[in-house]
Amino acid sequence: MPGLTGAYLLDCENMHSSFECTDCTDSYNVHFSRTSNRILGSFNIFSSSNIALCSGIVEGKSVYLSTFCGSDVENLYYCQNCRKSRELIACVGLENREHCVLNVQYTPEEYFLIKNSLMQGVGDSASWLSPLPTKFSAYPYNLSAAFEIMPLAKIAALILGYGWDESANSLRPSDLYTSLPEGVSANF
């Protein structure tokens, strides 16, 4: 079918660099998606539209840089594990909520003032919808899960802007699983 690049694209139109998608249209770099359109650089998207740089979105509209949100969400930015909500920025674990920033509820008027102020403060819309800078990373690179999957030398990590920690009392995310109480499994 014309307008398709990738593999395992069933009943799709205008899909590029995409894989394992069914009934999807007008998207680029999408992996494992069903019944969705206008998706960019995302994974595991179902019954959604206007999604960018996300994973695990179900029944979403206009969701950006978010993970594991679904069951009727709309206009989410930088959110995680939110359901049945609208107009959220940088929220985690909310359900049936509207007009929140950092999990704080605002009136619609206050919310849109904050949103517009954030967007103007960041500058162009490309910056507004970019991944957060590495300085906001929760862990230095050598203590992160990323280092366990893709190790980098200290100098390479520093050049890329990642933090680095060589203190003796450092804790890696995987260290949390080495001291579990007896009978508790790290296999979720």
Side-chain angles (χ1 to χ4, degrees), residues 41-118:
S42 297
F43 177 78
N44 272 357
I45 308 298
F46 301 93
S47 303
S48 298
S49 62
N50 299 322
I51 308 295
L53 305 173
C54 293
S55 67
I57 306 298
V58 179
E59 296 176 9
K61 295 177 186 162
S62 301
V63 179
Y64 308 96
L65 290 141
S66 298
T67 59
F68 310 116
C69 296
S71 298
D72 191 25
V73 293
E74 188 172 349
N75 294 327
L76 273 56
Y77 306 87
Y78 300 98
C79 293
Q80 184 174 3
N81 295 326
C82 295
R83 300 171 26 117
K84 299 180 182 176
S85 297
R86 286 163 181 46
E87 300 294 346
L88 306 180
I89 300 172
C91 293
V92 177
L94 297 183
E95 185 170 352
N96 292 316
R97 300 288 292 277
E98 292 185 356
H99 308 108
C100 297
V101 178
L102 295 170
N103 284 21
V104 176
Q105 181 93 40
Y106 293 94
T107 66
E109 295 79 17
E110 293 172 320
Y111 170 82
F112 287 109
L113 280 173
I114 292 169
K115 180 179 177 181
N116 291 337
S117 175
L118 286 170

Side-chain angles (χ1 to χ4, degrees), residues 116-150:
N116 291 337
S117 175
L118 286 170
M119 292 176 79
Q120 289 173 357
V122 171
D124 61 20
S125 62
S127 297
W128 166 244
L129 295 177
S130 296
L132 293 173
T134 57
K135 68 182 178 183
F136 292 113
S137 177
Y139 290 97
Y141 191 82
N142 62 314
L143 302 180
S144 71
F147 183 75
E148 295 178 13
I149 297 167
M150 189 175 145

